[in-house]
Amino acid sequence: ADTWEIVLRGTKHSRGATPLVNRCMRRYGWSEEYAIRVLKGYKQFCAWKQTFEDWDDTALAPPVPIRQMWLQHLLDSHHYQTHCLTLFGHVLHYSPDNGADTAVERERIEN
């Protein structure tokens, strides 16, 4: 089964997206409902990264909540790498400098 879809709050379960959802709720003060909505957007964003083969973070930029979840996922580096390789066959790299030029960043988000 694809554990990427699993979110079991209120348990000690640590499979799937449960730890990521829990971490975002703690870090950003998100409600469970909001965190799960962002998770759905994050999964869609990752699918677009795969479709466009944007492994080096040069083409697609997410909206702020999805970027926040992505960063929390990256901080769990072992699981992040394992998830990426399992789901996409590649690691989705993140470049913090891509957002340094706001005009370029805006164009990436809009296109």
Side-chain angles (χ1 to χ4, degrees), residues 1 7 17 22 27 31-32 44 46 52 56 59 66-67 73 77 81 86 91 94-95 99-100 104 109-111:
V7 177
N22 287 339
R27 175 72 170 90
S31 69
E32 180 178 353
Q44 291 171 335
C46 290
F52 287 98
D56 294 322
I66 293 171
R67 180 185 306 271
H73 198 188
S77 60
Q81 180 175 354
T86 300
V91 174
Y94 174 79
S95 176
V104 171
I109 291 172
E110 292 172 355
N111 293 327

Side-chain angles (χ1 to χ4, degrees), residues 8-25:
L8 298 174
R9 297 260 312 127
T11 70
K12 293 186 179 191
H13 188 75
S14 63
R15 290 181 55 214
T18 304
L20 178 59
V21 166
N22 287 339
R23 197 165 39 256
C24 287
M25 289 172 63

